[in-house]
Amino acid sequence: MHRALIVVDVQKDFCEGGSVPVKGGADRARAIADLTRRTAGTTYTHIVATRDHHIDPGGHFSDHPDFRNSFPVHCVVGSDGSEFHPHFAPTAQSGTVDEVFYKGAHSASKSGFEGSTETGTPLADWLRARDVTHVDVVGIATDHCVKATALDGARAGFTVRVLLDYTAGVATDTTTAALHELRQAGVHLTGHPVVLN
């Protein structure tokens, strides 16, 4: 059994000071960096990260966002906000993260499983090529991209856990609904999400 850690969207725009900040995001970025350093090569055979990577995602960007399906402009390719948060970036650049998957150039693409490497390899194919059967998901935000990534991982046949101590949610109601949906899909949940709205 090979287990991988998927770090979802720990980017500047999703943390305090960003264009779509999730309260507690910076703290989670620090905790995730520590987790990856402690577990690389032991708990996890591989560690990967996803990044929102928007060029023109259509209705996903809105001047009047509903913060469910539409949001202010964020994580535009080449922008400072699209970069990994400074708490996580040194770890991502140190070789601890084996690969980065970019998602959402021309769509919302909340799920990391909609992402691919710079050379076009989809996340599921990359994991299967390395005999990964189990994945743990952490990152931002619990009720959006973390949820979507975990659900798609389960649909793709992986055994999925979400480590809630290493996630941050946008709002209590949507996070509660997300956790219910994840449980219904057979995703195992550990810990407690940070929700500071």
Side-chain angles (χ1 to χ4, degrees), residues 17-154:
S19 63
V20 191
V22 179
K23 291 180 181 178
D27 179 65
R28 296 300 83 199
R30 182 184 290 109
I32 290 167
D34 179 62
L35 174 70
T36 59
R37 288 191 296 268
R38 287 187 290 105
T39 58
T42 54
T43 304
Y44 300 110
T45 310
H46 297 286
I47 296 175
V48 302
T50 71
R51 281 176 62 170
D52 252 20
H53 195 69
H54 295 308
I55 297 172
D56 181 13
H60 186 56
F61 284 174
S62 175
D63 292 332
H64 305 285
D66 63 14
F67 294 95
R68 296 292 192 271
N69 298 303
S70 60
F71 296 86
V73 174
H74 61 276
C75 297
V76 173
V77 172
S79 69
D80 185 62
S82 72
E83 298 297 323
F84 286 127
H85 188 276
H87 293 333
F88 180 67
T91 302
Q93 295 159 0
S94 70
T96 303
V97 173
D98 298 305
E99 189 59 84
V100 177
F101 294 83
Y102 299 88
K103 60 188 179 67
H106 298 283
S107 65
S109 293
K110 292 185 177 182
S111 168
F113 282 90
E114 296 176 87
S116 59
T117 65
E118 287 186 323
T119 57
T121 303
L123 175 55
D125 291 352
W126 192 95
L127 294 170
R128 290 190 186 108
R130 289 154 181 80
D131 298 320
V132 171
T133 54
H134 292 60
V135 297
D136 289 354
V137 183
V138 300
I140 306 169
T142 316
D143 37 350
H144 293 284
C145 295
V146 169
K147 178 188 81 169
T149 300
L151 290 174
D152 276 357

